[in-house]
Amino acid sequence: MSWTDLAVNGRILVVDDAMENIQVLNGALEGEHEVLFAMSGEKALELARGQRPDLILLDAIMPGMDGYAVCDALRAGPDTRDIPVIFVTALKTPEDETRALAAGAADFISKPVNAAVVRARVRTHLTIKRQSDALRALTLTDGLTQVANRRAFDQRLEAEWRRCERAALPISLILVDVDHFKAYNDHYGHQAGDACLVRVGMALRRVAGRPQDLVARYGGEEFAILLPQLDAGGAEGLAMRLQAELALLEIEHATSPTSPWLTVSMGIAQMAPAGAAEPAALVEAADARLYLAKRAGRNCFRIGSAS
Ligand SMILES: Nc1nc2c(ncn2[C@@H]2O[C@H](COP(=O)(O)OP(=O)(O)OP(=O)(O)O)[C@@H](O)[C@H]2O)c(=O)[nH]1
């Protein structure tokens, strides 16, 4: 995608309680973007959460939940707080404008709207949104393997932990450590070691394929697979599939005392987030099992429930 493409093909949510206003904005945008619309604040929030628009054009004054309240609710939601909002309103005073900006709006367009101005503002904010999304993705991705990095893992662990706690669901974690990787580097060279980590990361992604699963590079030759809504039995099945997937790759490791092929050791832990327990306990429990797997001779996993 080139930089000019960033300004078009967005998903724009238009929120206004008057159909004629929606039609005017739709007419201004429909050739360039996908337009969704809502006629109340409540419906706008539902669509924002479910459809993840790139940008919201929001009427300030609506019966029931007004634009300011919608803006507050969007900012409070982890899934919606980064969606830029442009207020579109008949209110014109500097106080109105300041209030909209203070509520978190990115910009302000006065009614009656001019189609060319709407199109231009939407292009500008869509471009900014996509650039900041790309930047955020970069700060959360491991440069070598392209899986999530440690920072992304920490953030997701915290968020998924809370989610599973609210829904009374289990959460599992597998720590995956490449066996005898120092020997691999020493024998094949650091660049071959890098390429090997890339292949392991890809294999992990193939087996942890549910949308809520997260594969991350946890440290040098250690990966983490975060598995929300999965119990220890499910995590164990996944660990076995990963062993099979790596075996298929047949990555030669001539100096490994464990196997002629590259292998991994895994520590698996499951918890039901509740009470005073903290996410770090899940990592500690998986790490303790990983240590046991290494001690047991490597190329295996150990599993346990943390309390
Ligand atoms: N090529 C490459 N090597 C790395 C990278 N990050 C860490 N390593 C290497 O991974 C090796 C890890 O060595 P150790 O912690 O001794 O573990 P090990 O040799 O795998 O032995 P066990 O874990 O006990 O089976 C070190 O030699 C690091 O230099 C990386 O990004 N690329």
Side-chain angles (χ1 to χ4, degrees):
M1 186 185 272
S2 79
W3 288 117
T4 46
D5 292 339
L6 291 180
V8 292
N9 294 326
R11 177 178 284 186
I12 316 295
L13 172 60
V14 173
V15 188
D16 201 303
D17 60 313
M19 186 43 100
E20 58 271 27
N21 293 336
I22 289 180
Q23 281 166 344
V24 171
L25 290 166
N26 186 45
L29 297 171
E30 68 180 344
E32 287 189 3
H33 308 283
E34 176 192 358
V35 184
L36 313 172
F37 67 89
M39 297 188 70
S40 70
E42 291 80 1
K43 185 71 189 168
L45 285 180
E46 188 190 317
L47 282 177
R49 289 180 189 129
Q51 303 289 319
R52 304 281 182 87
D54 296 305
L55 186 66
I56 301 177
L57 296 183
L58 182 61
D59 185 20
I61 309 211
M62 293 183 287
M65 193 176 201
D66 68 8
Y68 302 102
V70 172
C71 223
D72 282 345
L74 289 169
R75 295 292 153 259
D79 296 337
T80 54
R81 67 169 155 238
D82 296 319
I83 306 173
V85 171
I86 302 179
F87 267 78
V88 184
T89 172
L91 300 171
K92 286 190 172 62
T93 68
E95 289 73 28
D96 296 327
E97 204 163 327
T98 315
R99 190 175 167 210
L101 296 172
D107 208 346
F108 194 94
I109 300 176
S110 296
K111 287 180 186 170
V113 297
N114 172 293
V117 170
V118 171
R119 266 197 298 277
R121 293 268 171 94
V122 165
R123 282 187 200 141
T124 300
H125 286 285
L126 201 53
T127 303
I128 296 170
K129 160 79 163 39
R130 286 173 167 167
Q131 286 171 337
S132 65
D133 282 354
L135 206 58
R136 191 175 314 113
L138 218 54
T139 66
L140 296 173
T141 304
D142 175 56
L144 175 66
T145 61
Q146 297 300 307
V147 300
N149 63 16
R150 176 69 176 269
R151 177 206 298 246
F153 174 81
D154 288 344
Q155 285 181 9
R156 274 286 287 282
L157 173 59
E158 190 73 37
E160 294 294 349
W161 181 271
R162 303 290 161 223
R163 211 191 300 270
C164 287
E165 184 172 22
R166 280 196 301 275
L169 289 165
I171 183 165
S172 294
L173 175 67
I174 309 179
L175 288 180
V176 182
D177 190 283
V178 180
D179 294 328
H180 307 296
F181 198 56
K182 183 176 180 321
Y184 188 94
N185 273 329
D186 290 347
H187 188 72
Y188 297 99
H190 202 84
Q191 281 195 336
D194 282 357
C196 174
L197 290 176
V198 172
R199 295 183 75 187
V200 172
M202 284 164 65
L204 262 63
R205 279 230 288 238
R206 282 197 295 276
V207 295
R210 300 176 312 157
Q212 66 268 42
D213 297 344
L214 180 80
V215 172
R217 187 160 175 214
Y218 195 73
E221 25 62 276
E222 188 171 352
F223 293 86
I225 312 176
L226 185 63
L227 299 160
Q229 303 166 34
L230 198 71
D231 62 15
E236 183 176 2
L238 199 143
M240 289 194 285
R241 287 202 299 283
L242 178 61
Q243 282 181 321
E245 187 78 22
L246 283 176
L248 277 178
L249 290 181
E250 294 190 339
I251 302 173
E252 190 187 290
H253 191 344
T255 52
S256 165
T258 303
S259 158
W261 312 111
L262 188 100
T263 59
V264 297
S265 300
M266 289 177 270
I268 305 173
Q270 175 214 304
M271 282 183 87
E278 287 295 323
L282 184 65
V283 180
E284 280 164 26
D287 201 37
R289 270 40 180 224
L290 173 60
Y291 176 76
L292 293 179
K294 289 277 180 187
R295 267 215 341 211
R298 299 175 175 79
N299 191 21
C300 64
F301 57 80
R302 289 291 178 267
I303 189 161
S305 286
S307 49

